[in-house]
């Protein structure tokens, strides 16, 4: 029953957040200079076509009625049609979602493979040269722009070595080999940046737990160092580690715009970038709504996992 109440509260909270996001995005999009209908028509502009598209999109109505109408349609999964090509926004988003999800999964796996051992190792060797090397390297990774890192990887692995393609995308289930070749470079770019951030948090979390009395007690009992590290230190540091992992995963799912543009990756980030340039209001609003849903879903999953990794935490 506690779990049901927790889920009900979190879903209600998520609904309020979504409405707030929609209000802000709706207001900001309409404050951006430029007429989206005029831009959408381009060279096909005629007064009759302009009036027809404006009426069909509801832009001839008051803003409040536009927003309420958008909320009502969004509740049924109807996010409107794109100004640029007339395709349903929901269809456009679902076509881009697999690319973003696959990139996010690869990126977060790369980040965890690097950050967990590096952060734990640095924490266990606090104050030593190896700890300093890990901290300096992670600081460098945080400071490096992701687009510069992506261009550097393209120059090395594509232009110089010729091992991997510079850009593009292949669907995972249609061409697994092609998907793997195309996802390596953008996945590394996203993963290395996320790993630099996560390493610092992992190190801090392990250091904090390592100073606890029960860890010193475990050492005094003569337990093997690896047993103390894995069973007592790392296990009790999982909550903050899980938190930063969820944040990084949600960030990647939200669309790493610059990385997707550099690698011509057809994900949500690149879709938002192109839609903003074209003043495609329905796609912008739909993409932001989907990104908000993904972010809230990841946060909800992380909250549920807290009680799994640490039985002392109760969902109530």
């Amino acid at each position: 029953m506690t779990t049901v109440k927790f889920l009900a509260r979190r879903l209600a909270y998520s609904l309020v957040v979504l409405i707030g996001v929609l209000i802000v995005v709706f207001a900001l999009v309409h404050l951006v200079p430029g007429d989206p209908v005029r831009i959408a028509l381009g060279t096909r502009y005629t007064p009759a076509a302009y009036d027809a598209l404006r009426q069909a999109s509801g832009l001839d109505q008051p803003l409040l009625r536009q927003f309420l109408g958008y909320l009502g349609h969004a509740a049924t999964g109807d996010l409107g049609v794109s100004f640029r090509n007339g395709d349903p926004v929901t269809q456009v988003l679902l076509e881009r979602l697999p690319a973003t999800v696959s990139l996010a999964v690869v990126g977060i796996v790369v980040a965890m493979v690097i950050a967990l051992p590096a952060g734990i190792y640095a924490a266990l060797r606090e104050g030593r040269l190896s700890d300093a090397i890990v901290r300096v390297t992670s600081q460098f990774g945080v400071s490096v722009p992701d687009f510069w890192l992506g261009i550097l990887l393209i120059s090395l692995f594509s232009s110089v070595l010729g091992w991997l393609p510079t850009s593009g995308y292949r669907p995972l289930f249609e061409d697994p080999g092609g998907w793997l070749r195309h996802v390596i470079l953008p996945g590394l770019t996203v993963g290395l940046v996320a790993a630099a951030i996560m390493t610092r948090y992992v190190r801090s979390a392990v250091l904090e737990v390592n100073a606890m009395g029960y860890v010193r007690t475990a050492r005094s009992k003569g337990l093997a160092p690896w047993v103390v590290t894995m069973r007592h230190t790392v296990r009790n540091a999982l909550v903050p580690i899980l938190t930063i992992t969820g944040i990084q995963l949600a960030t990647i799912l939200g669309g790493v715009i610059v990385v997707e543009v550099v690698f011509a990756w057809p994900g949500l980030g690149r879709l938002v970038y192109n839609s903003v340039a074209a003043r495609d209001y329905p796609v912008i609003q739909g993409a932001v709504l989907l990104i908000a849903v993904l972010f809230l879903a990841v946060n909800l999953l992380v909250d549920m996992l807290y009680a799994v990794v640490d039985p002392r935490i109760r969902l109530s």
Side-chain angles (χ1 to χ4, degrees):
M1 191 65 180
T2 301
T3 303
V4 175
K5 291 182 179 179
F6 170 78
L7 288 175
R9 287 198 304 268
R10 285 308 303 264
L11 289 175
Y13 163 77
S14 300
L15 181 61
V16 173
V17 172
L18 281 177
I19 294 176
V21 169
L22 284 173
I23 293 174
V24 172
V25 173
F26 187 85
L28 290 177
V29 166
H30 282 74
L31 290 174
V32 173
D35 189 336
V37 177
R38 182 67 181 86
I39 295 173
L41 290 174
T43 58
R44 297 172 292 134
Y45 171 81
T46 63
Y50 178 88
D51 293 337
L53 182 56
R54 186 174 175 81
Q55 183 178 2
S57 59
L59 292 177
D60 60 331
Q61 300 177 0
L63 286 179
L64 179 59
R65 183 175 295 179
Q66 289 184 42
F67 179 70
L68 293 178
Y70 180 73
L71 282 182
H73 286 91
T76 63
D78 180 11
L79 300 178
V81 295
S82 171
F83 283 167
R84 288 190 296 172
N85 50 32
D87 292 336
V89 173
T90 303
Q91 176 185 333
V92 174
L93 296 176
L94 292 179
E95 289 175 352
R96 298 295 187 106
L97 186 59
T100 293
V101 171
S102 62
L103 178 59
V105 171
V106 172
I108 203 65
V109 168
V110 170
M112 293 179 66
V113 167
I114 297 174
L116 289 179
I120 295 171
Y121 180 76
L124 296 179
R125 301 181 67 84
E126 182 187 12
R128 302 183 185 181
L129 178 61
S130 53
D131 177 32
I133 292 174
V134 172
R135 286 189 287 114
V136 170
T137 303
S138 63
Q139 183 61 47
F140 177 76
V142 172
S143 305
V144 170
D146 49 6
F147 73 88
W148 183 84
L149 180 60
I151 293 174
L152 186 64
L153 292 176
I154 291 174
S155 300
L156 176 60
F157 291 102
S158 299
S159 301
V160 177
L161 299 176
W163 291 352
L164 298 169
T166 59
S167 60
Y169 169 75
R170 297 289 185 277
L172 172 61
F173 297 106
E174 295 180 9
D175 184 7
W179 170 84
L180 181 61
R181 282 172 47 83
H182 285 82
V183 80
I184 289 176
L185 290 185
L188 274 177
T189 303
V190 171
L192 289 175
V193 174
I197 299 173
M198 291 175 59
T199 297
R200 301 171 66 85
Y201 281 88
V202 172
R203 178 183 178 275
S204 298
V206 173
L207 279 176
E208 182 178 353
V209 174
N210 216 27
M212 295 294 181
Y214 57 83
V215 176
R216 292 195 296 269
T217 301
R219 291 198 191 98
S220 67
K221 290 181 178 180
L223 296 177
W226 70 270
V227 174
V228 176
T229 299
M230 299 307 298
R231 291 187 181 179
H232 298 278
T233 303
V234 175
R235 185 175 181 180
N236 287 284
L238 283 179
V239 169
I241 292 174
L242 185 61
T243 300
I244 187 60
T245 302
I247 292 173
Q248 291 302 308
L249 177 59
T251 301
I252 300 172
L253 283 171
V256 189
I257 296 178
V258 177
V259 174
E260 291 189 358
V261 171
V262 169
F263 290 97
W265 193 261
L268 293 176
R270 190 172 174 220
L271 176 65
V272 172
Y273 174 82
N274 293 332
S275 299
V276 169
R279 303 289 196 275
D280 197 343
Y281 287 0
V283 175
I284 295 173
Q285 292 170 333
V288 171
L289 175 61
L290 178 57
I291 290 171
V293 169
L294 292 174
F295 204 101
L296 292 171
V298 171
N299 285 339
L300 178 61
L301 177 61
V302 169
D303 287 344
M304 297 292 291
L305 289 177
Y306 284 159
V308 176
V309 301
D310 191 344
R312 295 172 299 179
I313 298 177
R314 295 291 179 264
L315 295 180
S316 59

